[in-house]
Each structure stands twice: as C-alpha cells, then as structure tokens.
Amino acid sequence: MAGSAGPQTAAVTRTVIENCAIATVDAHGTEYASGHVVVAGNVIESVGPGAAPENLADVVRRVDGTGHLATPGLVNTHHHFYQWITRGLAQNANLFDWLVALYPTWSRIDEPMVHAAAQGSLAMMAKGGVTTAMDHHYVFPRGAGDLLGAEIRAARELGVRFTAARGSMDRGASDGGLPPDFAVETTEGALLATEQAVDTHHDASFGSMLHIAVAPCSPFSISTELLREGAALARRKGVRLHTHGSETVEEEKFCHELFGMGPTDYFESTGWLGEDVWMAHCVHMNDSDIAAFARTGTGVAHCPSSNARLAAGIARVPDMLAAGVPVGLGVDGTASNESGELHTELRNALLVNRLGPHREKALDVRQALRLGTYGGAQVLGRTAEIGSLEAGKLADLVLWRLDGLGHSTIADPVAALVLGPPAPVTLSLVNGRPVVEDNHLTTVDEEGIARQARAEAKRLARIAAAG
C-alpha cells in the first residue's frame, strides 16, 4: 500500500535489577559488589557496577536486589526425570546392583508417569535456580506412549530451557547386558525413533528452548552397532551426543572383558570422543583418559551426590579442569540423588573433590559456581547464549537472597551461595520471563505437581509389585 511504513515491531520491554552483588562468571570472572542488570526482551542488554543507566525506555519492572546475589542461571547437564517416582529405593547398593534392582520397575513406566515425574524433577530444579535443564531418557517400554513428548511438554509448561537426550538400550540380559530383555529396543527401532525425535523437536536457532541430543545409554546396555550408528546419526543431523562413561570399577571391568579395552578407548574406537560429545560421571579416568578428553574437547557432566550415593568414587575434576576438559554439573536421576537439586551440587562438588588428592586446593567456590553455570553451557554447546551474565546473551539469570538467617554473616556472596545452606530464589528468569518469584514457581501449581507425582509413584509401585 502506498505510504505504508512497513511492518511494525513491538517495543522491547525492559526489566531492571539493581543494588545487588553480581557474579557474571564471564571469561574474566568479573564481579560487582553492587551493580545492575538490564534485561531487554529475552536478552541481557547491560551488566555493570552501580545503578542502571538513567532514562531507559519501556521499563516495566524494577527489582531492588539489596541483600541478593545475581548469577547466571544454573545449567543441569545430566538427569533422569522418570526416576522422580522411584526415589528412596535400593538405598545401600552400588551402581550395577541398583540398576538390576530397579530396571524391572522402570520398565513399567508409561506416559502419565513420565509426565508427572518430569514435572516434579523440573519443578524442584527450577525452584533451586536451574534455568536450563537436561534429561537423558532411555527406557521406552512397548506401548508406553510418547515418553519423550511427555518430558518436552512438562518443560514447556514450566518455562525452562531444555535439552532432551533421546536415549536407548538394545543390549538386554540375554545379550550380556544389565537390563531385562523386555526393557530394551531393537537397534533399528532405537535409531529410527531417535532420528524422528531430532526431526520433530530439535530447534537449532539462537534462543532455542529445546534441543535434542542422541544418547545411547551406556556400554553395558547398548551394542557397538548402536553406539557407532548413533554417532553417525548425530553428526548427520548436527546435534550433540551424550552417554554414561567410566562411572564405576565394575564398568571398567565389563568393558575390558567384553571389548578388550577400557571405556575411553572403546568410546574413541566408536567415534564417541569430540567437541560435540559429553559424558556423565567419568569417575574412573586415568591420565591418558583425561588427555584424550582434553585433546578431543569431550565434555563431562560431574554428578558428585549420585557418585557418592552409589559409592562410585571421586571424579578427578581438578585434573580435568587443569587439562582443559569442559566440565559441568549434573543432578543425575533422583533415584540416586533424592534431593533432585543442582544448587546443592555446587557445594557437594567442592566438598567431595577436597576429599581427593588435591585436598583444600581441589576447587574453590568460584570454580564451583563456574561448573554449575558456564561449564554446563560448555558441555551443552551453548556458551554463545547462556552460562554467563553478559550483554547480548539470553536473559537466564537468578537472584539469590543472601541477607537471611542462613547467609547474612558470610561477607563473600559467592561463598555464601556455595558453602551456605540452599539460598532462597527471589527471582529466576528464563528467556527474560519469571519462572520463580519469592521462592515459588510462577508457571505451575507446586502442590498439584506433588500430588500427581505421588499418585503416579504409588501406581507404578502397584504395577511393579504385581509383576
């Protein structure tokens, strides 16, 4: 039409947070004792000391952050949501015994159970400052419904950024694996379903709320063919690869007996080392294993609480970091970390690693915070978007209250967050939108989630008991 000004774009609204301590976790570790963050739409517009710039247009909200610390949102790099409804079982078992005890129950999950479990897992993490969640789902009983879709729906309902790792198992007990035969897929079926998940759900755009990764479960539950073909599929589709690796001494023994080599050499022989790969646990790594991860840029999801719960051992995180291995933090499944929280892993990562050979020099509080933020963004391949508070990055940030009983006498705000008790979350933004306000979820009914998860846990227990 003559005289038309062309398409109109809506004005960008701004949220201003000021008067708070800020740990940006940028490349220089920049911190401000009292500073501001300006969010414009879904991105960070500015971060700096003192008050926010004057005369900002379209400011719809100002938050007084006095007594608070602002950090990047936490990034969870390893989880199994479905385990939310099987917590507290096999309490005194190592990994293999724990898996054998629980696989028969897990193989009876269905879509309503997984949706309820995903809601519970995501809600617990979001309340504790997680803005990017990840889940590794690998149990797909026949006729159970759309289990991956149930998780994706739950993440959308909560408003959390999500990486869904489409897992798989094709090595049942009759083939020398740990899972019962009725709990595994065929190799062809697993690959086809994984490819369909990528094609249907993966969004590679800047600011994406949903990524899909290719994620065969572990060396003791998958065939070499699934591992090789899974890697080829991921690289053909341009998505990341995830699996469990070097978690226990039993796994090391299993790999030597079955493949004639340790886990890292086996993974390298099947195309599973590289900058597009991250592995959970990596507890039992020798110097050459760490060097191989560093040389190839392979990432690690460190899960200190789960490793302790299953008596797996202490991962060599200080040595990995010194070698240049990307390391993030993971909750792991809540059947082996019943708290289901990532912010407690900041503290546990520091404490557990100080029990190792590096003792008090193993990790400090700022390294722990980096593991849970920028390190997580590294292993998920999203450092251009999240993991630090910098202009141009996505507005995923958390405002932690540190002036209450549990923290007010710790002068260093980062030390208060990492070493103190779990800090209340006054505000958590994902993509610029609040998901937590004053320690309560804004997008879902917490009590409703708790009731539904409890009901589904009881239903699963009844079905499992009936055989």
Side-chain angles (χ1 to χ4, degrees):
M1 180 183 299
S4 170
Q8 300 296 308
T9 56
V12 175
T13 58
R14 290 179 171 82
T15 297
V16 176
I17 303 169
E18 50 195 346
N19 305 320
C20 56
I22 299 175
T24 68
V25 199
D26 65 10
H28 306 289
T30 306
E31 297 182 14
Y32 304 108
S34 181
H36 70 271
V37 181
V38 177
V39 172
N42 71 333
V43 300
I44 297 169
E45 187 173 65
S46 66
V47 183
E54 297 181 2
N55 303 320
L56 287 172
D58 300 306
V59 175
V60 296
R61 182 176 186 186
R62 286 188 177 271
V63 179
D64 183 1
T66 301
H68 290 73
L69 170 67
T71 72
L74 301 183
V75 179
N76 183 32
T77 63
H78 186 65
H79 211 310
H80 307 295
F81 291 171
Y82 72 90
Q83 293 180 16
W84 184 259
I85 56 176
T86 60
R87 294 192 292 171
L89 305 177
Q91 297 173 17
N92 303 310
N94 65 27
L95 174 67
F96 277 21
D97 292 341
W98 176 83
L99 288 171
V100 170
L102 291 175
Y103 271 141
T105 298
W106 292 340
S107 63
R108 288 164 171 83
I109 58 175
D110 60 23
E111 185 173 343
M113 292 176 191
V114 170
H115 181 255
Q119 280 196 319
S121 297
L122 287 160
M124 199 69 195
M125 285 188 292
K127 284 195 68 173
V130 168
T131 55
T132 296
M134 174 273 177
D135 190 65
H136 184 191
H137 189 90
Y138 52 84
V139 182
F140 293 93
R142 295 176 185 88
D146 185 3
L147 305 189
L148 196 71
E151 296 191 326
I152 291 169
R153 188 166 77 253
R156 187 180 300 118
E157 289 161 352
L158 269 85
V160 174
R161 207 176 299 283
F162 186 36
T163 292
R166 205 291 180 182
S168 51
M169 301 188 294
D170 70 341
R171 186 193 293 275
S174 64
D175 292 324
L178 284 186
D181 287 347
F182 59 81
V184 304
E185 301 174 275
T186 66
T187 306
E188 297 77 11
L191 291 167
L192 179 60
T194 302
E195 185 166 8
Q196 289 174 337
V198 175
D199 291 343
T200 303
H201 298 294
H202 184 67
D203 175 7
S205 65
F206 182 87
S208 167
M209 295 294 290
L210 179 60
H211 281 185
I212 304 295
V214 174
C217 182
S218 57
F220 46 81
S221 62
I222 56 177
S223 66
T224 299
E225 181 186 0
L226 181 56
L227 207 56
R228 289 187 191 278
E229 293 302 317
L233 168 63
R235 289 174 177 132
R236 188 169 71 250
K237 295 291 182 178
V239 299
R240 298 183 77 76
L241 301 84
H242 181 62
T243 192
H244 297 86
S246 300
E247 186 173 359
T248 65
V249 291
E250 291 84 5
E251 179 189 331
E252 179 90 17
K253 181 181 178 183
F254 180 95
C255 288
H256 275 287
E257 289 178 351
L258 203 62
F259 311 121
M261 63 187 87
T264 299
D265 290 337
Y266 176 59
F267 283 127
E268 186 156 32
S269 74
T270 56
W272 270 79
L273 295 186
E275 293 181 353
D276 53 357
V277 179
W278 85 105
M279 297 190 196
H281 303 295
C282 299
V283 175
H284 297 278
M285 303 265 283
N286 59 33
D287 289 348
S288 64
D289 295 332
I290 292 175
F293 272 54
R295 168 174 49 81
T296 58
T298 305
V300 171
H302 176 45
C303 306
S305 292
S306 177
N307 293 343
R309 161 77 153 84
L310 297 175
I314 302 172
R316 297 174 57 187
V317 173
D319 296 328
M320 294 178 192
L321 294 175
V325 175
V327 182
L329 291 181
V331 170
D332 201 11
T334 48
S336 64
N337 178 5
E338 277 77 0
S339 75
E341 299 174 306
L342 192 70
H343 62 313
T344 55
E345 297 304 288
L346 302 175
R347 185 174 192 263
N348 290 343
L350 183 148
L351 297 182
V352 166
N353 280 280
R354 288 190 178 186
L355 294 174
H358 295 278
R359 301 181 63 187
E360 71 276 6
K361 292 181 169 52
L363 292 176
D364 61 35
V365 295
R366 283 162 177 81
Q367 287 175 304
L369 178 59
R370 181 170 289 273
L371 289 177
T373 53
Y374 190 85
Q378 271 187 300
V379 303
L380 295 185
R382 303 200 69 168
T383 55
E385 301 168 283
I386 60 173
S388 59
L389 299 182
E390 300 180 74
K393 286 198 172 184
L394 297 169
D396 292 9
L397 62 90
V398 180
L399 197 60
W400 309 87
R401 184 182 174 192
L402 299 179
D403 61 357
L405 177 64
H407 305 86
S408 65
T409 56
I410 305 176
D412 178 349
V414 178
L417 176 66
V418 174
L419 295 177
V425 173
T426 292
L427 178 66
S428 177
L429 300 181
V430 181
N431 222 37
R433 297 175 179 174
V435 296
V436 178
E437 297 258 16
D438 296 323
N439 220 37
H440 292 284
L441 296 166
T442 65
T443 55
V444 293
D445 173 13
E446 295 178 34
E447 293 303 317
I449 287 175
R451 285 193 301 271
Q452 189 62 32
R454 183 167 58 248
E456 293 296 343
K458 290 180 177 178
R459 184 166 71 89
L460 177 58
R462 287 195 303 269
I463 293 172

